Structure formats: C-alpha cells, structure tokens
Amino acid sequence: MGAELITVSCDTHFTHLAWHTVEKELADVKFKMGSDKTGDLARQFGVYLGDDGLALRGTFVIAPDGRLLFSEVNFLNVGRNVDELMRKFKAALYVAKKDEGIPPTWNEEGDLTLKPSAKMVGKVHEALSNDGNPT
Amino acid sequence: MTETIQVGAEVPDFTLNTYEPQTGDFGSVSLSDLKSAGKWTILFFYPADFTFV
C-alpha cells in the first residue's frame, strides 16, 4: 500500500543481523531494520532513554509529504497491537484522500465517517446514529 | 537540545544504516528517498535487539 515500515533501535545493523538470524520469532519478519546507534533519531521523536541507551516503543507515521501524521508511544514493557496501528494508519490514508472526520467507531473504508459542516456542530451524537447525517 | 517533532510538523530528513532481511544484506534508507518515491514511512522504535517487540 505504498508504505515502508522500518524497525528502529539504537543497536548497530550488525547486531540486527545477529538477532534476526538467531531469533526464530523473526524468521518471517522482512521489514528493514534501521540502526540509530547514536540515538539521534530517537531523541528527535522524544523516545530516547539516554541513561540506558534504549528507545521507548514508539510508532511514528510520516506522510509522503514528510509530515508526521500520528504517533504512539508505549513504555518499555507494553507491547504494541498491530490491529490498533493498522486502524490508525488506514484512517490516515483515508483522510489524506478525503476531507472527512474519522469517528472512534471507524475500522475500514466503507464505515461511517463524518463530514464537517456547520450542521454538525453539537450534533455528532445524532449524526453517528443516523448514517452520518445530523438531524 | 533538539526539539521533539510534533504531530502535524514536518520531519527533518534522516538516513539510517539497515539490515535488510529481504536480501540478507546491509543497506541504508533515507526519508528523502521514500518521499520522492511517494511512500508513507512508518518508524517502529523498540528498546533494543534481543528484547520482545
């Protein structure tokens, strides 16, 4: 879908190779593994833990025009859920094409969206229960 | 001290050395290349190799 997912940690690409070779859980994982050895990139995204030389579990989605469209940061011991990531990513793709609002109930294209208008103000509840039309 | 990039802001260009399982080789990836290819970029930070993702 025109996206490149890059996994990034503050290890070298040599360590990436070693880990990818040894850890069987990664056998089917084909994403490019980026090395942010200096922590510079992690620092720019606010996920660098300088004392430990580790990066927090941060996910950052950058649009083709270079703008950061959403971010999610979890503390070290909370793993991420790919379904959550995909929902937000699909939402970002959708609103890049259409100027509509994505309600929390949205999961994929075809689901109800909201079209911002003066009529919508104060009527989101009505719109959500009436096929997107404020009444 | 570098400013943290806010959602909605433009991400400065960066280049990372990579290990690329697809080819089993080393390479590099830069945001400017991905932008000129019209691609979305997803950065997926994790604490360190040999930890759970």
Side-chain angles (χ1 to χ4, degrees):
Chain A
M1 66 181 93
E4 181 91 40
L5 191 150
I6 306 158
T7 63
V8 188
S9 74
C10 302
D11 300 282
T12 64
H13 47 300
F14 301 103
T15 317
H16 287 339
L17 189 164
W19 185 38
H20 195 278
T21 309
V22 171
E23 174 60 67
K24 293 195 176 64
E25 191 67 21
L26 294 175
D28 295 330
V29 180
K30 300 297 183 198
F31 303 118
K32 292 182 181 179
M33 305 175 78
S35 163
D36 181 29
K37 189 70 194 76
T38 57
D40 281 349
L41 194 61
R43 211 174 278 118
Q44 284 187 57
F45 283 97
V47 292
Y48 188 60
L49 298 174
D51 290 349
D52 304 312
L54 300 175
L56 292 168
R57 294 178 196 278
T59 308
F60 300 92
V61 172
I62 304 165
D65 66 1
R67 272 185 317 138
L68 178 61
L69 275 203
F70 76 77
S71 68
E72 176 190 0
V73 181
N74 290 359
F75 195 54
L76 297 173
N77 46 3
V78 182
R80 272 156 293 187
N81 181 313
V82 173
D83 290 341
E84 289 172 359
L85 169 65
M86 286 313 294
R87 175 190 171 275
K88 284 195 285 189
F89 181 56
K90 283 191 279 185
L93 283 177
Y94 185 84
V95 297
K97 288 186 295 182
K98 296 184 183 176
D99 185 23
E100 294 175 8
I102 300 290
T105 49
W106 191 92
N107 280 307
E108 58 189 340
E109 193 153 349
D111 288 355
L112 177 66
T113 57
L114 297 174
K115 295 171 188 63
S117 73
K119 285 185 200 149
M120 186 71 76
V121 177
K123 297 283 184 188
V124 170
H125 176 79
E126 287 81 349
L128 283 175
S129 52
N130 187 37
D131 211 22
N133 301 307
T135 50
Chain B
M1 187 66 203
T2 346
E3 289 262 319
T4 304
I5 304 162
Q6 278 199 319
V7 171
E10 184 155 349
V11 178
D13 190 34
F14 60 82
T15 303
L16 297 172
N17 288 323
T18 53
Y19 168 63
E20 308 191 355
Q22 204 86 49
T23 55
D25 210 349
F26 297 129
S28 74
V29 64
S30 75
L31 181 63
S32 52
D33 287 350
L34 292 166
K35 280 162 69 176
S36 24
K39 283 192 172 182
W40 290 71
T41 303
I42 305 176
L43 294 176
F44 198 87
F45 285 91
Y46 59 98
D49 289 344
F50 297 98
T51 61
F52 86 100
V53 180

